[in-house]
Amino acid sequence: MTTTPKTTHTGPSLTLRHCATAIIILLIMVGLWFNASTTQAASLTGRSVTISTALNSATTTHQFRFSINTISSVGSISFMYCDNSPLFDEPCNPPAGLDASSAVLSSQSGQIGFSIHPSTTASTIVISRPPIATIAGAASYTFDNVVNPSQPNRTTYVRIATYATSDGSGSATDQGAVAFSLGSGLAVNAFIPPYLAVCVGVTVAPNCATTNGLGINLGTLSSHQARAGTTQVGVATNDAGGYTLSILGNTMTAGNNFIPPLSTPTGSIPGTGQFGINLRANTDPAGGQDTAGNGSGAPTNSYNQANLFLFHSGDTIASSNQSTDFNVFTVSYLANIPGDQAPGTYTTTMTYTGLATF
């Protein structure tokens, strides 16, 4: 009787069984890998956050921008604020003082049709719509009425995720995070002193930087011809109520003799006793200039009529009702005398006074 060795077929049989087992295990492992891949969220790209006010505890606007890369159904997007980590698999600690519970979705672009979902809390904003298939591309969402975190010099992370559901539940489709930090406020102070600038001269620079001349000479007076001359006054102020510019002085005198001042706006009449001023460019007699400069000042009505002259000591001759840059006013002086005017050297001194209230 011949005995067949038991080991002849035993080896191959064991080998086949082991191979089959290995193939089954490999298939199971491959299957598990594919299942895990289909549930892992894709990344949102081009992510950014812009905050309109970078002050702690300030009510402000937060704008988020990102690109959705997965073509799928999206019914909600969540914005979760955390102060410890941007990673979704870690617990989220809400930032102290942050309050997004009253956030308002003020604008949206890209994927639109969203509104604030009732599940929104102080640290998580959820926006919702009926699930709609997305088209990959950029999206933007702006939320008003968000209260910034209260602690300075701490980083706040915002975890952003899209969901197929309309309430932010279930597995995220796409996700990503952004971060911002609010520094403590640094005070920067400056002082602007109140000022009223008035300069007087025969001529003055547009900004009163320089003045030239302390007086004018009208020459020899005659009953046959009017005599005239000009000086200038520059004025500016940062008083919100503006300023008034007044003139103080007397008519031209020589001892007890004087040239009569004009009590009403009157034209030049040679041969008649007249002394007056105005703040206009004149043709009779020729001379003077209209107001110059970028300010809001202007002559008062009585002194703002070309070829008409007037003089009352104490009159307001120009003003502005608001803070103003410089104006330069050219004051024209008129002198006429009758034929019997007493001889002498006639003079006067004028004082210009600016007044602001501050």
Side-chain angles (χ1 to χ4, degrees), residues 32-45:
L32 289 175
W33 185 86
F34 278 112
N35 287 337
S37 176
T38 57
T39 59
Q40 183 177 4
S43 177
L44 297 170
T45 59

Side-chain angles (χ1 to χ4, degrees), residues 125-142:
I125 300 173
V126 178
I127 58 176
S128 172
R129 71 179 183 185
I132 302 174
T134 63
I135 298 175
S140 174
Y141 303 94
T142 301

Side-chain angles (χ1 to χ4, degrees), residues 60-207:
T60 183
T61 295
H62 291 185
Q63 182 182 46
F64 298 92
R65 295 186 179 94
F66 49 85
S67 291
I68 298 175
N69 298 307
T70 302
I71 300 176
S72 64
S73 179
V74 172
S76 59
I77 305 174
S78 70
F79 303 82
M80 180 184 296
Y81 292 77
C82 310
D83 77 349
N84 59 312
S85 173
L87 303 179
F88 282 78
D89 57 357
E90 293 189 9
C92 175
N93 297 331
L98 174 86
D99 188 359
S101 60
S102 298
V104 175
L105 180 57
S106 58
S107 69
Q108 52 186 304
S109 64
Q111 293 300 316
I112 60 174
F114 291 94
S115 60
I116 300 292
H117 191 270
S119 62
T120 292
T121 66
S123 60
T124 301
I125 300 173
V126 178
I127 58 176
S128 172
R129 71 179 183 185
I132 302 174
T134 63
I135 298 175
S140 174
Y141 303 94
T142 301
F143 300 100
D144 295 340
N145 207 38
V146 178
V147 178
N148 277 341
S150 59
Q151 294 182 331
N153 303 318
R154 288 182 64 89
T155 301
T156 297
Y157 305 95
V158 186
R159 305 175 187 178
I160 307 169
T162 65
Y163 299 89
T165 61
S166 60
D167 59 0
S169 63
S171 299
T173 305
D174 286 357
Q175 63 186 27
V178 293
F180 64 88
S181 180
L182 306 177
S184 57
L186 295 175
V188 179
N189 298 317
F191 175 67
I192 299 177
Y195 77 89
L196 171 65
V198 179
C199 62
V200 180
V202 176
T203 59
V204 301
N207 61 354

Side-chain angles (χ1 to χ4, degrees), residues 14-37:
L14 289 173
T15 301
L16 288 174
R17 285 198 300 270
H18 290 169
C19 288
T21 302
I23 292 171
I24 292 171
I25 292 173
L26 178 61
L27 290 175
I28 292 173
M29 290 177 65
V30 171
L32 289 175
W33 185 86
F34 278 112
N35 287 337
S37 176

